[in-house]
């Protein structure tokens, strides 16, 4: 990052708590609390906000952490990151665009001169005068042009046929020169704008990500990562469009407008002034409606970004969505935000239709006024025919330039609206700036930590005081454990030490220095954090662990040195055991957020990352909560060793992990109840003693029974291994592989039809697909087509009226006839203007309506279709949450490039071309054939450019998704990124991704610009051909002036107007690729289909679960066996526990019961029936899941619990299940009770609180089968005892299957299955397994507390 960039990001702005989103929220916040929470940081109004009840000083600190000031943007704002070379090239592009516009404005000069020649020639014919003035015949071409500018000196002289042809040939050469100049200028200008637009938009992406990474954590508690993804994936593209070729088009047309008006005034200021009134009226209307468009599109973006947060939240918890059949209900919630976006976008579309209608009114009114007043000036001999035509053509050219601006203004205004949101974040001054170079750096650090009289409130939950006058001393080298109930403030201590938040009062000291006075990056580099829910990044295990070396002396060590350090750290964390078993070892990619590893494996990698840098301070926030007992013992021993000579703070619910701590601090509601060593606190027999007592496991020492099974691969495993090898080979040949699972080994991992996966749809197929989606609006679209047909008949009518007006000039000097004839057709011109106004408003207004309906239908349909896919779909790298969220945001909007106002323009252009050709063939078929033959050249060049762009978009999409996914991953793991001080590393990698994309796109941009230049220059060449060829027939008088101008104006001018459609080629290119993506998704039918009505309905479910010889491997890792011949039986009403090492298949077993996957071999039975024969939704209605990492959604606590049931539930039922889950009292202690907002992903609740809400959500559906995947891992002992008792009670009459590492929670289970090596090695009750002294006995012994506890 350059110093300049740093300065820009560091610019301070005044605090302004106003928001444009407020009126939107008020309508739907009751139903959609997410919008309230996501936008509430903008919804502050002075001091009348959520903090106003607090003391002024406290409120100011909290406001500082969440407040934003909306950025003030203008057109130049989007170029704020241009360097000198960019400024030079952009300036050159603007100069060339201005020049190009001026070149186009010269056309009326040539047009007027040729028309003067035509009328003079035919006037001689009409008067049967064969006498030619000798002075005129001897004049040179330049003398003629001079006389053309002086009407009084012409005296209506006559021209011979040879002189006529010579003069026309001479003048048509100017059209050729103008065409060549326009081609060169258009090509260079368009390429420069596209290329520089991509470069600068990439810098904006970088700056936005940089600004996002520097924000304090309180800011992220208010803004979901989905909104950030939407900004990077969608809004930055809108900015790019607003500063790319469309800005060039606008500049070019403004130049044409000004130059044309100047020429008109030079030739006749009287006529120009009269016609200027129309131009001024058009401009005023244009500015007014453009402002409305900007406002409406800005409002539409508000709803889209809030919807993006919902989508990201849902897709990141897709297993939970499937388990509770939430698809329809969450889709309705998402639909609420689409309603907001649709409403405002529709208003913007209608405004765009009004603008276009007013433009057509101006263009045709110019013709009416120009001919009417020009003929009167001609009668008074104040002006010549050539001057009338020049002024008229120049004024129409200028007014038409405004019409050409209209379609592109939307992109610029939308880009500015998007820039406002992007720059608001970029300009925001972070309360805790991670990039700050200020602050002291201590030469030596001992590790003494002290919290003195600390008061703390989370900015996102201002009504709850978390810490009140909290004081704690931790000596250097000590290991201090914090224990207590969920929500007691333990994790808050970690957040304060890492400076994630600011305390309201008091100090946090390191070696006697206030950490607020220390450099924040240096401070965080002295601290290593292992959080409760480990976050890994989508790269290799080695890279994940090496991130822990950032800021250490080994950061820039050689790869071999780093690898040695990483291996040692993995050994200490007991991670090498499973890493060595992976095919690629340390180089194995862990997938997005580490989803390819089990919870315990992720935790061990995170621990290795923490200790690899040998930090001075170690923070372990439930660091071993996801580990099995065997691994925990080894890791705990490693952590004990790592704690030597460094300060360590341990937050733990599992008390066996902290009994050797130097000090144990027992907390409750932000206060310290007692502190001391384990023995001291046990002796007190107070709070800590009760906690230990609740977690003690009874153990009996009997003779150890050796029981082991030979670990051999059967024939099934050999067949699966062969299939895995085949798939690895196929993967090297194709980017997309579908896996279809069956119950027969030979067919396992059957590769899907690769042709269907990579199928390329033709344009006709995609158009049919879009027409099918919009079929509900067929009648309305027919109305739009009708008005487009009327609109398209404008140019043929123009040709007829124009031809009659020019023909009237042949009657000179019979001015009475001239005036009568022109008065009639001037009136018809004004009538045509009025008809075009009405037709345009209705046509574009109707298509805007149907376009927005289509976009909304596609967006909600895509969202539902994504949620429909089975879980294996989401396991693939290309279907990460970031990619899918970006696709949902971007592709649906891009389809509007083939609908809405764009579709209206396409229909209009088609009608212009068809009607013009038909009329011309009737009037003058020879000339029509020649002119018409040129039209396909223009259309062909435009369509070829469209084809090139569509191919370019296909490649660019992949690159863009990579950058969007990477940014989403980084921002969704913000605490991990900043605690590792990975900000610069993230930005560097992001820069590399964007640079690679720029290199790939430059060639395609050049080809696209070249073809656009050809299309632009072709207009002048066609005009030259038309005038030259037409003059041949005019010379022999085979065609009249009327016939020529009807053909010329209809075909050539009509084709030029129709050519506007090709300025939409970038939109159509994006729409083509987006439609292809959407159609591919719509036709993708999952093996486990949530939409399917097929299958039997389970009746009278008893709850018996059986696994028969089940072999399973994840489709994304077919070479790794997860279950090998699993056999187990769970009888109805039985409470069964699954225990074993991390990665042994426990959670996979839960996934198979939920039918997230299907086994490659064997069967899973419910009450003796294969579950694959059941209807998936009817089957899942009898099952409830509480997963390892609890997932809540933005909304109230009540809303989240209601999501657990597919039917309506009463408030009494909700209260009852909350009491069972031990969460009712906590909820009632909150100011809003059950209506308390949980925040995005439940961020406003602690881990234990989230888990208890999740348990209540599971109980509300009264399931026959209850699946608990580490359901109590996040609970403190006090809560666990009550919840476990409640779960034991709830298990009565239903089958319960619990995955547990904390053995105290399952010792009363009816049957315990011990997993190891992808198989069950032991089964029995707790007492039976203790007597065996086998694997289970080892686990219990490792986890048992001392006897005196």
């Amino acid at each position: 990052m350059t110093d300049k960039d740093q300065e820009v990001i560091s610019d301070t702005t005044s605090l302004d708590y106003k928001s444009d989103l407020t009126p939107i929220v008020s309508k739907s916040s009751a139903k959609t609390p997410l919008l309230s929470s996501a936008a509430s940081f903008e919804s502050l109004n002075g001091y009348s906000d959520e903090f106003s009840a607090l003391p002024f000083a406290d409120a100011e600190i909290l406001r500082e952490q969440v407040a934003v000031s909306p950025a003030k943007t203008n057109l130049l704002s989007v170029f704020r990151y241009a360097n000198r070379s960019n400024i030079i090239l952009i300036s050159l592009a603007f100069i060339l665009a201005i020049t190009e516009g001026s070149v186009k404005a010269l056309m009326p000069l040539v047009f007027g001169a040729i028309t003067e020649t035509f009328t003079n020639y035919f006037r001689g014919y009409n008067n049967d005068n064969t006498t030619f003035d000798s002075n005129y015949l001897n004049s040179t071409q330049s003398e003629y042009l001079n006389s053309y500018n002086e009407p009084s000196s012409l005296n209506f002289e006559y021209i011979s046929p040879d002189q006529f042809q010579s003069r026309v040939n001479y003048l048509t050469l100017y059209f050729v020169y103008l065409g060549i100049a326009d081609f060169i200028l258009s090509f260079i200008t368009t390429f420069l704008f596209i290329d520089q637009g991509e470069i600068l938009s990439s810098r904006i992406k970088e700056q936005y990500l940089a600004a996002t990474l520097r924000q304090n954590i309180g800011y992220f508690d208010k803004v979901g990562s989905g909104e950030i993804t939407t900004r990077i994936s969608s809004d930055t593209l809108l900015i790019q469009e607003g500063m790319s070729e469309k800005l060039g088009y606008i500049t070019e047309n403004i130049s044409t407008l000004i130059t044309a008006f100047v020429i008109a005034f030079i030739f006749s200021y009287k006529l120009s002034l009269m016609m200027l009134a129309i131009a001024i009226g058009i401009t005023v209307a244009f500015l007014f409606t453009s402002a409305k468009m900007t406002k409406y599109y800005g409002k539409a973006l508000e709803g889209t970004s809030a919807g993006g947060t919902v989508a990201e939240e849902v897709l990141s918890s897709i297993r939970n969505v499937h388990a509770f059949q939430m698809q329809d209900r969450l889709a309705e919630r998402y639909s609420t935000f689409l309603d907001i976006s649709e409403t405002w976008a529709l208003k913007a579309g209608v405004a765009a239709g009004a603008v276009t209608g007013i433009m057509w009114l101006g263009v045709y009114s110019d013709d009416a006024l120009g001919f009417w007043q020009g003929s009167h000036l001609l009668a008074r001999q104040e002006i010549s025919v050539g001057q009338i035509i020049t002024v008229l053509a120049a004024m129409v050219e200028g007014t038409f330039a405004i019409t050409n601006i209209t379609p592109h203004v939307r992109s610029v205004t939308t880009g500015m609206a998007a820039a406002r949101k992007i720059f608001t974040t970029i300009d925001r001054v972070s309360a805790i700036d991670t990039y700050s170079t200020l602050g002291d750096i201590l030469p030596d650090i001992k590790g003494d930590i002290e919290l003195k009289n600390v008061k703390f409130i989370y900015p996102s939950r201002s009504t709850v005081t978390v810490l009140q006058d909290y004081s704690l001393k931790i000596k250097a080298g000590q290991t201090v454990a914090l224990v207590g109930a969920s929500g007691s403030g333990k994790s808050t201590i970690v957040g304060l030490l890492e400076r994630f938040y600011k305390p309201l009062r008091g100090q946090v000291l390191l070696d006697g220095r206030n950490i607020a006075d220390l450099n924040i990056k240096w401070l965080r580099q002295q601290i290593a954090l292992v959080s409760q829910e480990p976050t890994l990044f989508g790269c290799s295990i080695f890279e994940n662990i090496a991130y822990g070396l950032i800021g250490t002396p080994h950061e820039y060590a050689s790869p071999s040195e780093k690898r040695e350090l990483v291996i040692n750290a993995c050994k200490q964390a007991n991670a090498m055991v499973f890493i060595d078993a992976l095919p690629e070892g340390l180089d194995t990619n862990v997938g997005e957020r580490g989803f390819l590893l089990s919870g315990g494996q992720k935790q061990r990698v995170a621990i290795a990352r923490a200790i690899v840098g040998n930090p001075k301070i170690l923070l372990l926030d439930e660091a071993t909560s996801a580990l099995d007992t065997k691994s925990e013992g080894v890791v705990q021993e490693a952590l004990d060793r790592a704690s030597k000579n460094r300060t360590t703070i341990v937050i733990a619910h599992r008390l066996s992990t902290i009994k050797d701590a130097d000090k144990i601090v027992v907390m409750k509601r932000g206060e310290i109840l007692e502190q001391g060593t384990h023995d001291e606190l046990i002796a007190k027999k107070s709070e800590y003693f009760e906690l230990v007592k609740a977690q003690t496991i009874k153990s009996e020492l009997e003779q150890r029974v050796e029981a082991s099974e030979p670990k051999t691969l059967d024939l099934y495993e050999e067949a699966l291994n062969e299939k895995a090898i085949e798939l690895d080979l196929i993967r090297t040949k194709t980017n997309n592989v579908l896996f279809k699972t069956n119950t027969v080994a030979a067919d396992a991992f059957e590769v899907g039809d690769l042709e269907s996966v990579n199928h390329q749809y033709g344009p006709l197929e995609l158009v049919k697909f879009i027409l099918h989606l919009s079929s509900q609006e067929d009648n309305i679209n027919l109305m739009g087509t009708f008005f487009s047909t009327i609109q398209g008949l404008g140019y043929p009518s123009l040709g007829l009226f124009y031809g009659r007006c020019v023909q009237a000039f042949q009657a000179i000097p019979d001015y009475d006839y001239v005036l009568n004839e022109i008065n009639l057709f001037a009136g018809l011109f004004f009538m045509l203007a009025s008809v075009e106004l009405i037709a345009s408003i209705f046509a574009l207004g109707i298509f805007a309506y149907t376009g927005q309906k289509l976009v909304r239908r596609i967006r909600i349909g895509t969202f539902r279709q994504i949620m429909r896919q089975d879980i294996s779909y989401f396991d693939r790298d290309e279907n990460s949450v970031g990619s899918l969220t970006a696709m949902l945001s971007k592709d649906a909007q891009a389809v509007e490039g083939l609908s809405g106002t764009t579709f209206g323009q396409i229909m209009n252009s088609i009608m212009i071309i068809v009607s013009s050709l038909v009329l011309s063939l009737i009037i003058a078929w020879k000339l029509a054939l020649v002119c018409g033959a040129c039209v396909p050249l223009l259309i062909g060049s435009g369509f070829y450019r469209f084809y090139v762009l569509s191919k370019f978009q296909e490649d660019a999409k992949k690159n863009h998704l990579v950058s969007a996914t990477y940014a989403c991953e980084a921002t969704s793991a913000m605490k991990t990124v900043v605690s590792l001080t990975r900000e610069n590393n993230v930005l560097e990698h992001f820069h590399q991704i964007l640079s690679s994309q720029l290199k790939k796109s430059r060639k395609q941009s050049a080809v696209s610009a070249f073809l656009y230049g050809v299309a632009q220059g072709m207009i002048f060449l066609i005009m030259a051909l038309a005038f030259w060829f037409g003059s041949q027939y005019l010379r022999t008088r085979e065609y009249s002036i009327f016939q020529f101008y009807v053909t010329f104006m209809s075909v050539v001018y009509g084709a030029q107007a129709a050519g506007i459609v090709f300025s939409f080629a970038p939109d159509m290119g994006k729409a083509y690729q987006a439609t292809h993506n959407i159609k591919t998704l719509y036709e993708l039918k999952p093996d486990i289909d949530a939409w399917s009505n097929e299958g039997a309905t389970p009746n009278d479910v008893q709850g018996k679960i059986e696994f028969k010889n089940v072999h399973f491997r994840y489709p994304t890792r077919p070479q790794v066996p997860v279950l090998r011949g699993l056999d187990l039986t769970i009888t109805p009403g039985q409470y069964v526990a699954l225990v074993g090492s991390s990665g042994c298949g426990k959670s996979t077993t839960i996934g198979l019961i939920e039918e997230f996957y299907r086994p490659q071999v064997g069967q899973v039975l419910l009450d003796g029936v294969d579950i694959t024969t059941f209807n998936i939704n009817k089957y899942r209605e009898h099952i409830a899941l509480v997963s390892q990492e609890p997932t809540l959604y933005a909304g109230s606590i009540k809303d989240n619990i209601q999501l657990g049931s597919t039917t309506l539930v009463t408030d009494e039922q909700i209260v009852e299940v909350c009491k069972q889950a031990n969460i009712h009292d906590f909820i009632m202690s909150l100011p809003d009770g059950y209506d308390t907002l949980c925040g995005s992903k439940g961020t406003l609740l602690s881990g234990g609180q989230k888990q208890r809400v999740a348990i209540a959500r599971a109980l509300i559906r009264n399931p026959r089968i209850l699946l608990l995947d580490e359901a109590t891992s996040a609970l403190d002992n006090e809560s666990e005892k009550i919840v476990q008792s409640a779960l034991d009670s709830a298990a009565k009459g239903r089958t319960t299957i619990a995955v547990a590492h904390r053995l105290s929670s399952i010792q009363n289970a009816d049957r315990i299955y011990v997993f190891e090596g992808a198989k069950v090695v032991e089964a029995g009750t707790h007492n039976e397994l203790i007597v065996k002294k086998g694997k289970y006995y080892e686990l219990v012994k490792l986890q048992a507390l001392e006897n005196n506890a």
Side-chain angles (χ1 to χ4, degrees), residues 1156-1205:
F1156 291 155
Y1157 307 92
R1158 286 175 178 165
Q1160 284 81 42
V1161 180
Q1163 292 179 308
V1164 180
L1165 307 177
L1166 172 64
D1167 294 342
V1169 181
D1170 191 331
I1171 63 172
T1172 59
T1173 64
F1174 292 129
N1175 176 271
I1176 185 64
N1177 292 314
K1178 297 296 183 182
Y1179 167 70
R1180 284 177 178 162
E1181 285 179 358
H1182 300 282
I1183 303 174
L1185 170 67
V1186 182
S1187 58
Q1188 187 171 351
E1189 297 177 2
T1191 300
L1192 299 185
Y1193 302 95
S1196 68
I1197 294 174
K1198 180 180 178 180
D1199 291 338
N1200 271 280
I1201 296 172
Q1202 284 177 329
L1203 285 173
S1205 175

Side-chain angles (χ1 to χ4, degrees), residues 459-475:
S460 54
R461 199 169 61 201
S462 59
T463 56
V464 179
T465 301
V466 181
L467 297 178
Q468 180 70 53
D469 200 29
Y470 185 91
S471 297
L472 175 66
K473 283 187 178 182
I474 301 172
K475 294 180 181 179

Side-chain angles (χ1 to χ4, degrees), residues 422-728:
I422 294 286
F423 293 147
T424 292
T425 300
I426 292 177
D427 294 340
R428 183 180 185 271
V429 180
S430 176
I432 304 172
D433 189 353
T434 60
Y435 298 150
S436 175
T437 56
L438 303 177
D440 299 332
I441 294 177
L442 303 181
D444 186 35
I445 177 174
K446 293 187 294 182
D448 287 323
I449 294 174
E450 183 178 2
L451 287 83
K452 294 178 65 175
N453 309 116
V454 171
K455 178 182 179 182
F456 180 77
I457 295 175
Y458 282 102
S460 54
R461 199 169 61 201
S462 59
T463 56
V464 179
T465 301
V466 181
L467 297 178
Q468 180 70 53
D469 200 29
Y470 185 91
S471 297
L472 175 66
K473 283 187 178 182
I474 301 172
K475 294 180 181 179
Q478 271 192 335
T479 296
V480 174
L482 307 179
V483 300
S486 298
S488 61
K490 305 185 298 297
S491 295
T492 301
I493 303 297
V494 170
L496 290 173
L497 286 173
E498 285 273 8
R499 283 198 67 195
F500 291 156
Y501 306 93
K502 284 186 174 183
L504 302 186
R505 296 177 202 162
Q507 295 179 316
V508 181
L509 306 177
L510 175 62
D511 289 351
R513 295 289 302 275
N514 191 335
I515 62 172
D517 299 329
L518 302 178
N519 178 269
I520 187 167
K521 183 161 285 192
W522 174 86
L523 172 68
R524 287 173 177 168
Q525 287 172 350
Q526 312 310 308
I527 302 172
L529 170 65
V530 182
S531 59
Q532 186 172 352
E533 297 174 3
T535 299
L536 301 184
F537 302 98
C539 54
S540 69
I541 295 174
F542 171 78
E543 290 172 300
N544 267 286
I545 297 173
Y547 288 144
L549 296 173
I550 295 175
T552 71
H554 303 290
E555 180 177 1
Y556 302 104
S558 66
S560 59
E561 290 180 78
K562 281 188 177 181
R563 185 165 286 268
E564 185 178 346
L565 291 169
V566 167
I567 290 173
N568 289 334
C570 289
K571 288 179 179 177
Q572 290 183 52
N574 193 32
M576 284 307 295
V577 177
F578 79 85
I579 292 174
D580 286 337
L582 297 173
E584 298 177 65
L586 281 172
D587 297 318
T588 301
N589 192 299
V590 300
E592 186 187 17
R593 299 177 185 174
F595 77 88
L596 293 179
L597 302 181
S598 71
Q601 291 168 342
K602 284 195 291 184
Q603 192 67 284
R604 279 179 277 176
V605 172
I607 292 171
R609 181 175 63 195
I611 63 179
V612 70
N614 193 27
K616 295 290 185 180
I617 300 171
L618 189 60
L619 306 179
L620 306 174
D621 188 356
E622 283 291 318
T624 60
S625 63
L627 298 181
D628 57 89
T629 308
K630 183 176 181 180
S631 299
E632 181 191 14
V634 181
V635 172
Q636 192 60 48
E637 183 183 350
L639 290 176
D640 290 342
R641 290 197 306 269
S643 300
K644 302 299 182 185
N645 302 320
R646 66 165 56 94
T647 307
T648 305
I649 298 178
V650 182
I651 296 174
H653 289 144
R654 197 179 301 175
L655 304 182
S656 59
T657 63
I658 51 93
K659 58 188 178 66
D660 294 326
D662 298 314
K663 182 191 292 186
I664 297 172
V665 179
V666 183
M667 297 175 59
K668 188 173 184 179
R669 296 178 183 174
E671 297 179 352
I672 297 176
L673 297 181
E674 57 182 354
Q675 54 184 308
T677 64
H678 171 76
D679 292 335
E680 290 170 353
L681 295 177
I682 287 295
K684 283 185 179 181
K685 292 192 175 181
S686 186
E687 294 288 336
Y688 182 74
F689 176 81
E690 292 299 322
L691 293 175
V692 171
K693 187 177 179 181
Q695 207 176 95
T696 302
I697 296 178
K698 49 185 178 180
S699 59
E700 301 173 2
L701 300 179
E702 299 289 342
Q703 185 177 0
R704 181 169 182 171
V705 179
E706 293 291 334
S708 61
E709 284 186 41
K711 299 178 180 178
T712 58
L713 287 175
D714 57 20
L715 294 176
Y716 291 122
E717 287 299 316
E718 292 178 4
L720 292 174
N721 284 336
E722 290 175 5
K723 283 292 178 183
I725 294 171
E726 290 177 19
L727 287 180
D728 282 336

Side-chain angles (χ1 to χ4, degrees), residues 179-363:
I180 294 172
D182 198 17
F183 158 68
I184 295 172
L185 292 170
S186 295
F187 165 52
I188 299 174
T189 300
T190 305
F191 173 74
L192 286 176
F193 272 114
I194 292 177
D195 188 57
Q196 295 302 305
E198 289 186 343
I199 291 172
L200 294 180
S201 69
S202 293
R203 287 189 192 154
I204 290 174
K205 290 178 188 177
E206 289 187 61
Q207 294 296 329
Y208 179 71
L209 182 58
T212 302
L213 292 175
R214 85 182 308 159
Q215 300 305 324
N216 52 284
I217 300 300
Y219 174 81
F220 289 97
D221 291 343
K222 289 286 188 178
V223 182
S225 59
E227 179 171 338
I228 295 169
T229 305
T230 301
R231 295 276 179 257
I232 289 180
S233 64
S234 181
D235 288 3
T236 51
L237 287 181
L238 294 177
I239 295 174
Q240 179 180 334
E241 290 179 4
M243 71 167 76
S244 294
E245 73 274 13
K246 293 186 180 179
L247 187 58
Y249 301 152
I250 292 173
T251 304
E252 163 205 324
N253 282 287
I254 290 174
S255 173
T256 301
L257 170 70
I258 295 172
T259 307
F261 281 8
V262 169
I263 290 173
F265 272 87
I266 291 173
F267 276 78
S268 176
Y269 73 91
K270 289 183 180 179
L271 184 58
S272 299
L273 278 173
M274 287 184 279
M275 297 180 70
L276 184 63
I278 294 176
I280 291 174
I282 295 301
T283 303
V284 171
F286 168 76
L287 293 175
F288 175 78
T289 48
S290 294
K292 290 292 184 183
M293 284 169 57
T294 303
K295 175 184 176 182
Y296 295 153
Y297 280 120
K299 296 286 189 182
L301 284 173
E302 297 277 7
T304 302
S305 61
T309 296
V310 173
E312 192 275 340
E313 189 178 51
V314 170
L315 296 179
S316 63
S317 60
I318 194 66
R319 285 169 173 78
N320 209 56
V321 173
H322 275 263
F324 287 94
Q325 301 148 284
M326 299 178 185
Q327 291 95 326
D328 289 340
R329 286 165 289 167
L330 293 175
E332 289 175 8
R333 186 177 294 186
Y334 179 65
S335 178
T336 304
F337 296 101
L338 298 187
D339 291 339
I340 296 171
S341 182
E342 179 190 357
T343 300
W344 290 110
L346 175 58
K347 290 183 179 180
V350 172
V355 171
T356 303
I358 292 170
M359 293 305 131
W360 287 113
L361 176 68
V363 169

Side-chain angles (χ1 to χ4, degrees), residues 1059-1107:
I1060 296 173
V1061 74
F1062 298 126
S1063 63
F1064 290 93
D1067 291 337
M1068 290 189 286
K1070 293 171 186 174
Y1072 177 86
Q1073 186 58 43
T1075 306
H1076 185 281
N1077 298 336
I1078 292 167
K1079 182 173 173 59
T1080 301
L1081 177 63
Y1082 271 50
E1083 295 189 354
L1084 186 61
K1085 184 178 180 181
D1087 288 331
I1088 305 173
D1089 191 355
W1091 289 4
S1092 175
N1093 293 320
E1094 298 176 359
T1097 300
N1099 294 316
D1100 191 24
V1101 174
Q1102 300 300 309
K1104 181 181 180 181
I1105 298 290
E1106 295 176 87
F1107 280 70

